[in-house]
Every structure is written in C-alpha cells, then in structure tokens.
Amino acid sequence: MADEPAKIILGDTAITSIEQPGRRRFFRRKDRQRPPLIHCENCGALLTGRWCSQCGQAAIDYRRSFRHVIVDVLDSFLNWDSKFFATIGWLIARPWHLTNQFLAGRRVPYVHPLRLYLLVSILFFFVINYWAKSIHADPSKLSADDRADIAAELNDPDIPPAVKARIRGALDAKGRTQPEAQTSPSPETAVTPQPSIIGSPPPSVTSPSPSGDFGPLVQFDKPPSDPFEKWLEQRAKEKMGEHGSKMALFIATLFSNLPYMMLCCIPLFALVLKVLYVRKRVFYIDHLVYALHIHSFAYLAIMLIVLITIGLNRSIPGTFAGWIIAALWITFATQIFLSIRRVYRQGWFFTVFKFFLGGIAYLFVLAIALAATFFITIASP
C-alpha cells in the first residue's frame, strides 16, 4: 500500500510517454504542450481541480517556460489578474463596498485587505520619501563646523549612495566658492570708506543667534533647566545641526519612519471605531478590516489628488483650477463619510456626529503618534 501512489504516478508517466508523438531532434521545434496532471505529485490522489483535495498542493507543473513561472509568482503574491484591477476600481469609487463584501463572506473576487494596504502604502510612502529627499539645505549658509557635521552624518549606511553623492557635491562646490567670497572684498568696499560699519560691527558678529535655535522644529527661548531639556537640546544639535543646518537629513529620516507609525495607528483607529460603535456589538476584527480599507483609500486618493493638482497648476492655473482642487478634496471627505454610513448603517444624525467625533479622536491619536515618532527619531543613534 505504501507504493500505491508511486505506481499511479509511474503509470501516468508511462501512458503519457506512449501517447506523445516521437520527439524531433537536432534543431527542429519541440512540442511545448504538456498534458495536464491527473494525479497529485505529492500524495498521488486523483486531481479534480487546480488543487489536491487531500494535501492541498497546487496542480502546477513547474517544468515550463520562464514566462509561465513569472506569471504564477505574480498571481501568488499580488493576485495579479482581473480582481486586482477590480479591487482598485471599487476602492476609488466605493471604498465601503470592499468592506461590506469581505464581511459578507465574498472575499475571493477581491484582494485581501492587508495585502491591499501594504501595496498602496508602499507606493504612497515611496513617493513621500522621494519628495523628502529632494529637500536640501543651502550650503552657502553653513559654517565650516556645520559642513563637518554633515559630512560625518553622511557616513550613515541607511542614506542612499545617490543622496550622499549629491550632498557631498553641493558641499564641495559651495565650500570652494564661499571662503573666496568672504576673504576677497569687492572693489567698491575696498575703495569706498564706510565709517558707519567701522563704528558699529555687523549684528552677526556682535549679537550671535541664540544657542537654542535648531530650525523651525525645535527652538528654546531660554537655556534648558531640567535634564530632559538638556538632553533634547543635545540630541537636536546632533540631529539637526546649529540653526537647522542638517534639517534635510533629519526630515528624510523622520519621513522614513512614518510607514511604521501609520501601521501602528491602524489598530488604534479600529479601537476608536470600537468605542464609537460599542452598542452595535461588532467584532474588533471587522473594525480592523474597515480601517485597512479606508486607509488604503486615503493613500490612493491623496496621491491622485496631488497628481491632478500638479497637472492643473501647470496647464490651467487660476481660479478654475482652484475650484476643481477644492471639489476633489470635498469629494474625498464625502467618500469617507459615506463609507462610515454604508458600513455601520446608522442614521444621518449619528453618522455625522460620530464622523466628527471619531475624526477629532483620530487626529489626537495621530498627533501623539507623530510626536512619539519625532522623539524616537531624535533619540535613535
């Protein structure tokens, strides 16, 4: 009995070899059609579909062209077929439809909520990080110490090589021209006497900027008194540089931590929904499914609106473009409002009330999460 599956598989192989015509040799074209599998190659059970009914192995013959293998990989990882595009279409037009269909048990025609969120969030935060890395400080306003700090910071292996090369090139170019401009005065200043300047030195020499100024994000009006403020000032100086000289690198690092922050905020958003709809006796996992769908919709809609805004500003700038952009953002908020009403099925009054209350609560959660991400970015080595 132990050899029974092996005998069945060998029998299928023998029958297949007999039924196939003789193979052509040399440079003649071979027969690319392979017969379908009749028995499972793993357990030998009779196949009645695309998967084995006993062990669950897929009835796929991997001895095929590389093109078919790539198609199988894409289908396994992204379900790259018609249901992917159908999911994206429903996500833009009616995001509540995906949640209702998933909770009703009709899950096969659509991409899984977690897989959909990961795909859209990767694209969204890739665009955000690309925009953050395009922000750069003007090296002509940096001192020699600031340049040395930035050069030391560029040794971080997490910074892409292309960004390092661009920053180093800018520092070298400005570093060669700025000392010459400072040490060689112009002919007018060398010939024309200026007694007022001699009598009163420039403000930058007599009144230096406060030591607690690290750019627009962190500023201390008075010297730090407690240990926490001293620690914060020291870390801000190391991360941002004096007067925000390394602010571009800090913002790029901060934005690279945002995907993890938002992934942690999704369960918190589901918890807010659980509190708002505690009397409806909905499971927490149902709120989590809706949170994944609505965040995916928000990422995708924001990207589309930003792209449309850029296109309108370049093609038809003016009042008409402003009205279109405003209508797009109003439609974005309306879609979120309608999704809450269609998923939780409450009246207009309670839906409006919980929409604003839940929005305020989630903004508070996002503010706390953003502050925590800010401090983690400063505290990280």
Side-chain angles (χ1 to χ4, degrees):
M1 294 301 292
D3 297 335
E4 190 68 22
K7 293 179 181 179
I8 294 175
I9 295 174
L10 291 175
D12 290 340
T13 306
I15 294 173
T16 302
S17 62
I18 293 173
E19 293 178 351
Q20 283 185 346
R23 296 187 176 182
R24 300 178 180 180
R25 297 181 180 179
F26 301 107
F27 299 101
R28 297 183 180 181
R29 192 174 182 179
K30 297 181 180 180
D31 186 15
R32 298 182 179 179
Q33 296 292 333
R34 298 183 63 88
L37 297 175
I38 302 175
H39 292 84
C40 177
E41 295 180 321
N42 182 47
C43 64
L46 183 65
L47 294 174
T48 58
R50 297 180 59 185
W51 288 272
C52 177
S53 58
Q54 290 190 6
C55 65
Q57 178 172 290
I60 298 176
D61 187 2
Y62 286 97
R63 296 181 296 274
R64 299 178 297 169
S65 63
F66 189 70
R67 177 175 60 87
H68 290 87
V69 176
I70 293 297
V71 170
D72 289 337
V73 171
L74 290 177
D75 181 69
S76 300
F77 183 70
L78 294 176
N79 286 336
W80 196 271
D81 49 12
S82 59
K83 73 178 183 180
F84 172 78
F85 298 101
T87 303
I88 296 297
W90 283 113
L91 185 66
I92 297 174
R94 296 180 179 180
W96 59 86
H97 177 81
L98 297 177
T99 304
N100 289 334
Q101 292 293 308
F102 187 89
L103 298 180
R106 293 183 285 271
R107 306 178 183 117
V108 174
Y110 310 102
V111 180
H112 192 274
L114 182 58
R115 185 177 298 173
L116 177 65
Y117 172 81
L118 293 177
L119 179 63
V120 176
S121 64
I122 287 173
L123 180 61
F124 177 77
F125 288 109
F126 174 79
V127 175
I128 292 294
N129 289 329
Y130 180 81
W131 171 77
K133 291 175 182 177
S134 64
I135 302 175
H136 61 278
D138 187 5
S140 62
K141 299 180 181 179
L142 304 179
S143 63
D145 295 336
D146 293 334
R147 288 194 186 88
D149 293 339
I150 294 178
E153 192 74 19
L154 289 177
N155 295 326
D156 188 355
D158 295 335
I159 302 176
V163 178
K164 292 182 180 180
R166 188 168 68 246
I167 295 176
R168 286 195 178 102
L171 289 175
D172 294 339
K174 293 295 182 178
R176 289 192 299 266
T177 58
Q178 183 184 2
E180 298 175 358
Q182 292 177 350
T183 55
S184 60
S186 61
E188 291 80 359
T189 56
V191 176
T192 306
Q194 297 181 358
S196 60
I197 297 180
I198 298 174
S200 60
S204 60
V205 177
T206 58
S207 59
S209 58
S211 61
D213 183 10
F214 303 101
L217 294 181
V218 177
Q219 292 184 359
F220 294 98
D221 297 332
K222 57 182 180 179
S225 57
D226 55 82
F228 175 75
E229 291 184 359
K230 292 180 180 179
W231 172 83
L232 183 61
E233 182 179 6
Q234 180 183 2
R235 296 302 302 172
K237 183 177 181 180
E238 294 177 0
K239 287 289 185 177
M240 305 178 191
E242 291 287 347
H243 320 302
S245 58
K246 296 188 291 185
M247 186 60 66
L249 295 175
F250 177 77
I251 291 177
T253 307
L254 179 64
F255 279 24
S256 65
N257 293 331
L258 289 182
Y260 309 103
M261 182 201 80
M262 292 304 303
L263 190 61
C264 295
C265 287
I266 289 179
L268 298 178
F269 178 69
L271 182 62
V272 171
L273 294 175
K274 179 67 175 178
V275 174
L276 289 176
Y277 295 95
V278 65
R279 298 188 63 182
K280 290 187 68 68
R281 302 183 183 276
V282 179
F283 289 102
Y284 176 78
I285 190 65
D286 297 346
H287 299 294
L288 191 59
V289 169
Y290 173 72
L292 290 171
H293 280 147
I294 204 63
H295 279 80
S296 302
F297 165 75
Y299 295 158
L300 189 60
I302 289 173
M303 285 191 294
L304 293 177
I305 292 175
V306 170
L307 290 176
I308 294 174
T309 302
I310 294 174
L312 289 176
N313 290 332
R314 291 183 178 180
S315 58
I316 47 172
T319 308
F320 182 70
W323 281 106
I324 295 178
I325 296 170
L328 289 175
W329 285 110
I330 293 174
T331 304
F332 169 73
T334 304
Q335 287 283 77
I336 297 178
F337 171 77
L338 290 178
S339 67
I340 294 177
R341 187 175 187 276
R342 298 292 175 84
V343 169
Y344 293 100
R345 304 180 186 277
Q346 284 192 332
W348 289 101
F349 175 77
F350 287 103
T351 302
V352 172
F353 175 75
K354 293 182 179 181
F355 174 75
F356 285 103
L357 182 61
I360 294 173
Y362 191 51
L363 287 178
F364 183 72
V365 170
L366 287 178
I368 295 177
L370 188 59
T373 306
F374 177 82
F375 284 109
I376 290 174
T377 306
I378 284 184
S380 61

